[in-house]
Amino acid sequence: MGIYILRRMVSATAVMAMVGIFVFLLLRLAPGDPAAIIAGDAATPEMIAGIREQMGLDEPLSVQFVHWALGILVGDFGTSIFTGRAVLELIAQRLEPTISLSFLTMIVSVTTGVSFGTLAAWRARGLVDRVLAVFAAIGFSLPVFVVGYSLVYFFAIRTHWLPVQGYVPLSNGLVPWFVHLILPTVTLSISYIAFIARITRASMLEVLSEDYMRTAAAKGASSYSMLFHHALKNAGVPILTVVGISLAYLISGVVITETVFNVPGIGRLVVDAINSRDYPIIQAVLILVSGLYVLINLAVDLSYTLVDPRIRY
């Protein structure tokens, strides 16, 4: 196990290096000049050149990349071009809303998706199974922003039951914190519930058709025991895989959801940084997200041994 983890970390380091190079070059070669944005519309070429020199943007790309990479190695992701504050400080200030939204979304998605998928497999080709098929098709088809604006219209504008936007820190109370996250959580959860439920159903159907499940039924095992003690555990590897994939893709969904509901999280920070060409913030977030992807994939691979003792690394 230790050797396997070491190999994965070495390969992850190579992947992160390639991601760093790609992100750096992509931002530098994209249209738009942060110096020109800072200088304003009435700026002269001399003013823009002075700002570029002050920010180090006039140096060769190789020199800029070396300075940035060396800073990352010592935990320095640079400072924001527009605010002059440390990038990690800005990211830390936006972590709570994003973590709160992601945590609630995964709790709702996993519990609801696995439950629906298990029930649909148990009652295959029945009413529940058909309803799940329709829900999954709709959940996969609708973009996140369409779901978000629809929920805002019905539950915030028409009925005034829930707040339409914003975020209340957990320190201000559990109820206000939860109420402000209901709509964003539901918006972000729908597609993941559909995804997890369909994979759970397919995996459970395969397990339920095995001989040992028929033997358990013939011996008088209860439905609860067959579903949760036997079938669900043996179907755990595909379910864990899809949960890990959902958690990784959740990050991209958070960006859209936070924009729709004006949640001041990492997603909004990235959108604002893209609009203002704030290179250090964009680079730092993309590198941290890439590292999180790698850790999630490693954690999912290692978790296989918990549900299937036959798997060894």
Side-chain angles (χ1 to χ4, degrees):
M1 179 70 75
I3 296 177
Y4 172 78
I5 295 177
L6 180 61
R7 290 203 309 266
R8 288 293 299 269
M9 295 307 296
V10 171
S11 63
T13 302
V15 170
M16 294 300 297
M18 295 300 297
V19 169
I21 295 174
F22 176 77
V23 168
F24 183 87
L25 293 178
L26 180 65
L27 292 176
R28 293 306 190 282
L29 299 178
D33 187 355
I37 297 176
I38 294 175
D41 296 334
T44 63
E46 291 76 14
M47 293 174 58
I48 296 176
I51 295 175
R52 288 182 58 83
E53 181 179 0
Q54 182 180 359
M55 295 189 301
L57 297 177
D58 60 330
E59 298 178 341
L61 289 180
S62 58
V63 176
Q64 295 183 47
F65 177 78
V66 169
H67 290 165
W68 176 65
L70 291 178
I72 291 179
L73 293 178
V74 298
D76 180 12
F77 285 84
T79 57
S80 170
I81 293 177
F82 285 85
T83 65
R85 299 171 60 186
V87 170
L88 288 182
E89 179 184 348
L90 294 174
I91 293 176
Q93 291 178 348
R94 303 291 189 100
L95 273 180
E96 182 184 337
T98 299
I99 292 177
S100 299
L101 177 58
S102 302
F103 173 76
L104 287 180
T105 299
M106 288 308 300
I107 293 296
V108 172
S109 300
V110 173
T111 55
T112 307
V114 172
S115 300
F116 282 178
T118 302
L119 183 59
W122 183 245
R123 301 298 182 188
R125 291 175 293 278
L127 178 61
V128 175
D129 191 17
R130 295 177 182 179
V131 171
L132 176 63
V134 174
F135 171 77
I138 296 175
F140 286 143
S141 303
L142 289 178
V144 174
F145 68 89
V146 173
V147 177
Y149 286 127
S150 300
L151 293 177
V152 167
Y153 176 75
F154 285 107
F155 293 99
I157 298 177
R158 289 292 298 272
T159 62
H160 303 285
W161 289 349
L162 296 170
V164 65
Q165 62 180 358
Y167 173 78
V168 175
L170 185 58
S171 58
N172 291 358
L174 180 61
V175 174
W177 170 82
F178 179 74
V179 168
H180 278 77
L181 286 175
I182 291 178
L183 288 183
T185 299
V186 173
T187 299
L188 198 54
S189 298
I190 287 179
S191 60
Y192 296 110
I193 291 174
F195 186 33
I196 295 173
R198 294 301 294 175
I199 298 299
T200 301
R201 176 190 179 275
S203 182
M204 288 289 289
L205 282 176
E206 182 178 354
V207 173
L208 289 172
S209 65
E210 295 291 340
D211 292 337
Y212 63 84
M213 294 300 299
R214 287 191 289 268
T215 301
K219 289 183 176 181
S222 65
S223 299
Y224 179 86
S225 177
M226 290 181 60
L227 282 176
F228 297 101
H229 289 173
H230 300 289
L232 188 58
K233 184 175 181 180
N234 286 282
V237 171
I239 296 174
L240 281 175
T241 302
V242 74
V243 169
I245 295 174
S246 299
L247 183 58
Y249 283 113
L250 179 65
I251 301 171
S252 59
V254 165
V255 174
I256 301 175
T257 306
E258 288 183 352
T259 303
V260 170
F261 292 96
N262 195 26
V263 177
I266 301 296
R268 283 295 307 279
L269 178 65
V270 172
V271 171
D272 294 340
I274 292 175
N275 291 332
S276 60
R277 300 297 189 273
D278 203 333
Y279 295 152
I281 293 179
I282 304 173
Q283 292 169 173
V285 172
L286 292 179
I287 288 296
L288 294 176
V289 168
S290 301
L292 184 59
Y293 270 50
V294 171
L295 292 178
I296 290 173
N297 288 329
L298 178 60
V300 169
D301 288 347
L302 296 179
S303 66
Y304 291 159
T305 60
L306 299 178
V307 298
D308 192 344
R310 296 171 299 178
I311 298 178
R312 290 289 182 269
Y313 294 110

